[in-house]
């Protein structure tokens, strides 16, 4: 792997303070690293540059989502040049994950540097309150970026490269990071970083309005839940950790479900920091464009002539059919998916949905559409005026409490406590006015709830299927295998401009040939350039 190079991007300040000074983190340029961390502002700038990479297109703006084409819930509204991601024949050298891989290691390098510098300063003097918080934030971003690499590339017999600068007595010597023996070692190191982060991070409630959106201790606990759930693929004892940590989120941190999905995906600032919030990329819309561009990426290409939507990811008929099991027109379905003829608000007008552009699908994501409902949303600060960076006013979720309940439900099922799993699943169903389960929950119920509740979010449904495929539970393994080996379906209309058209169901017409799934595909192959640059120290994943 390449040596970690410090490329330090500064964060821009927000020109409006209607929500949070933290929302805009566009890079301004490079800064010298000589005599850094001389004051609080330098610590703030250093950490804001860490967050900035996550907000960009290479990660949570768009690129991480392309891999979801390998499951059956999401199809691509426009043809891509890397269909191997969806056909399960990815070589590691195609875009976009090659760039994603490099970006995440740069975040780790930057986080390493901030941690090393602040620990060095802490050894010489007392850190200020801001510097102490910044140290916690750097531990948090190092854990976050490390985790995104670890589970995508690490297996039980072979982990991913990782190094901590602070472990070098005389400073990091720029050697190639060692490949860890097992992904379980990576998970252990990630948990250590999250625990270290919690030593320095404040409670979310301690942040003033201008700093909401920064890392906080409940967010670190939420990531620990997810790390342990993924670790349980290889060590079932970790399910008990999942249960304990979700209990802690409820009792110590007061997390709960928001009143409705409408509230959670609201464009109203007053709804941003509800009880369900754990970790997000907060966006303010407006001319500065803070946040993730994904709401514009998933909007109809051309936005019916009103806005530069990109139309690049869309729901399949398969996920629509799965949601329909809870009843036609149910709250979660309507809030998640736009289908032909469905009314919605767009630029202050009531419209009926249809799609006239690119590959035919018949659906669109609806979760992120609230900012577009307003009259003149670009002029009124709800949607970025720059359609080439289509961010919106939305607290874009990365982890929310509903996912934590579903992890706990899964842990209960895996530890023979199915009735407790039933309670957690029914809490989610009742929030969306769905009929509660009238039986003790099964893994099939967990599969349905996780698939439907978290649809079109960056929770990684594809990896859920991959880890379930390795499960000892025959029921969930069979469900995962069925979806991993299926080709998604869509709706076809004779007249695509007619909202009242009667569709036929057809196979999605792009990337028609899909490889048969086997467990070596649980992780991606390393880019060949990284193998070459490592001088033999990075070993390709088994099966590739």
């Amino acid at each position: 792997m390449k040596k970690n190079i410090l490329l330090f991007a500064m964060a821009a300040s927000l020109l409006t303070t209607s929500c949070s000074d933290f929302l805009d983190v566009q890079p301004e340029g490079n800064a010298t690293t000589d005599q850094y961390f001389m004051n609080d502002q330098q610590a703030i700038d250093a950490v804001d540059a860490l967050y900035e990479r996550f907000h960009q297109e290479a990660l949570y703006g768009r690129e991480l989502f392309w891999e979801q084409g390998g499951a059956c819930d999401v199809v691509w509204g426009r043809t891509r040049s890397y269909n191997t991601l969806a056909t399960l024949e990815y070589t590691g050298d195609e875009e976009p994950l090659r760039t994603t891989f490099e970006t995440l290691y740069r975040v780790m390098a930057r986080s390493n540097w901030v941690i090393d510098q602040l620990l060095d300063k802490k050894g010489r003097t007392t850190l200020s309150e801001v510097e102490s918080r910044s140290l916690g934030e750097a531990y948090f971003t190092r854990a976050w970026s490390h985790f995104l690499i670890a589970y995508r590339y690490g297996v039980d017999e072979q982990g991913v490269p990782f190094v901590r600068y602070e472990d070098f007595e005389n400073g990091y010597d720029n050697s190639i990071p060692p490949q860890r023996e097992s992904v379980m070692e990576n998970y252990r190191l990630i948990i250590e970083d999250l625990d270290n982060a919690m030593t320095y991070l404040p409670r979310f409630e301690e942040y003033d309005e201008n700093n909401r959106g920064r890392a906080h201790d409940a967010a670190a606990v939420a990531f620990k839940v997810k790390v342990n759930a993924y670790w349980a693929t290889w060590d079932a004892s970790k399910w008990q950790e999942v249960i304990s940590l979700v209990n802690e989120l409820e009792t110590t941190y007061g997390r709960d479900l928001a009143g409705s999905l409408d509230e959670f995906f609201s464009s109203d600032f007053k709804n941003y920091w509800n009880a369900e919030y754990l970790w997000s990329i907060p966006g303010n819309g407006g001319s500065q464009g803070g946040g993730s561009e994904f709401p514009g990426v998933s909007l109809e290409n051309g936005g019916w002539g009103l806005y530069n939507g990109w139309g690049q990811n869309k729901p399949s008929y398969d996920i629509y059919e799965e949601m329909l099991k809870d009843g036609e027109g149910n709250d979660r379905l309507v809030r998640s998916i736009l289908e032909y003829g469905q009314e919605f608000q767009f630029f202050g007008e009531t419209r009926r949905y249809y799609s006239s552009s690119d590959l035919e699908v018949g659906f669109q994501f609806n979760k992120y559409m609230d900012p577009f409902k307003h009259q003149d949303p670009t002029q009124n600060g709800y949607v970025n005026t720059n359609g080439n960076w289509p961010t919106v006013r939305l607290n874009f979720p990365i982890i929310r409490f509903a996912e934590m309940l579903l992890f706990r439900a899964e842990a209960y099922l895996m530890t023979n406590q199915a009735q407790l799993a039933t309670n957690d699943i029914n809490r989610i169903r009742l929030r969306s006015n769905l009929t509660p389960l009238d039986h003790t929950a099964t893994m099939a119920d967990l599969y349905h709830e996780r698939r439907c509740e978290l649809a079109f979010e960056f929770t990684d449904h594809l990896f859920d299927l991959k880890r379930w495929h390795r499960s000892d539970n025959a029921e969930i393994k069979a469900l995962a295998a069925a979806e991993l080996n299926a080709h998604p379906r869509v709706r076809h209309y004779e007249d695509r401009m007619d909202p009242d058209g009667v569709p036929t169901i057809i196979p999605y017409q792009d990337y028609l040939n899909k490889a048969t799934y086997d467990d070596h595909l649980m992780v991606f192959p390393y880019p060949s350039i990284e193998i070459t640059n490592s001088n033999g120290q990075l070993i390709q994943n088994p099966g590739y």
Side-chain angles (χ1 to χ4, degrees), residues 214 283 337 343 354 392 420:
R214 293 188 177 278
I337 297 177
E343 288 190 350
Y354 68 87
V392 301
L420 294 175

Side-chain angles (χ1 to χ4, degrees), residues 513-529:
N513 299 316
K514 189 174 182 181
T516 301
Y517 185 82
D518 68 65
D519 277 334
H520 91 274
L521 295 170
M522 181 176 184
V523 292
F524 294 113
Y526 290 106
S528 61
I529 187 65

Side-chain angles (χ1 to χ4, degrees), residues 417-445:
Q417 301 177 80
Q419 186 53 57
L420 294 175
T422 308
N423 296 339
D424 280 346
I425 288 173
N426 279 340
R427 282 175 65 180
I428 292 171
R429 293 183 62 80
L430 289 168
R431 190 266 294 276
S432 291
N433 297 313
L434 302 175
T435 303
L437 298 179
D438 60 359
H439 57 272
T440 302
T442 66
M443 289 301 287
D445 295 315

Side-chain angles (χ1 to χ4, degrees), residues 67-75 83 85-88 316-319 321-322 447 451 461-462 465 469 477-490 506-518 521:
E67 62 199 68
Q68 296 306 311
C72 279
D73 289 355
V74 174
V75 294
N83 284 348
L85 263 181
T87 61
L88 305 180
S316 68
Y317 181 77
D318 299 77
I319 184 60
E321 182 179 57
E322 187 73 24
Y447 168 85
R451 187 179 184 187
H461 173 64
L462 177 63
L465 298 176
H469 196 269
K477 185 180 181 72
L479 288 164
E483 186 175 347
L484 286 166
N485 287 297
H487 183 78
R489 298 165 296 159
V490 295
I506 63 171
Y508 176 60
Q509 295 299 293
D510 208 359
Y511 56 82
L512 283 166
N513 299 316
K514 189 174 182 181
T516 301
Y517 185 82
D518 68 65
L521 295 170

Side-chain angles (χ1 to χ4, degrees), residues 86 123 153 203-204 232 354 362 473 488 494:
Y153 293 90
R203 292 283 184 97
F204 169 76
Y354 68 87
N473 183 287
E494 291 300 325

Side-chain angles (χ1 to χ4, degrees), residues 404-424:
M404 299 293 99
L405 286 178
L406 289 167
F407 273 133
R408 188 170 68 182
E410 185 175 351
Y412 283 142
L413 286 166
M414 295 300 289
T415 55
N416 300 312
Q417 301 177 80
Q419 186 53 57
L420 294 175
T422 308
N423 296 339
D424 280 346

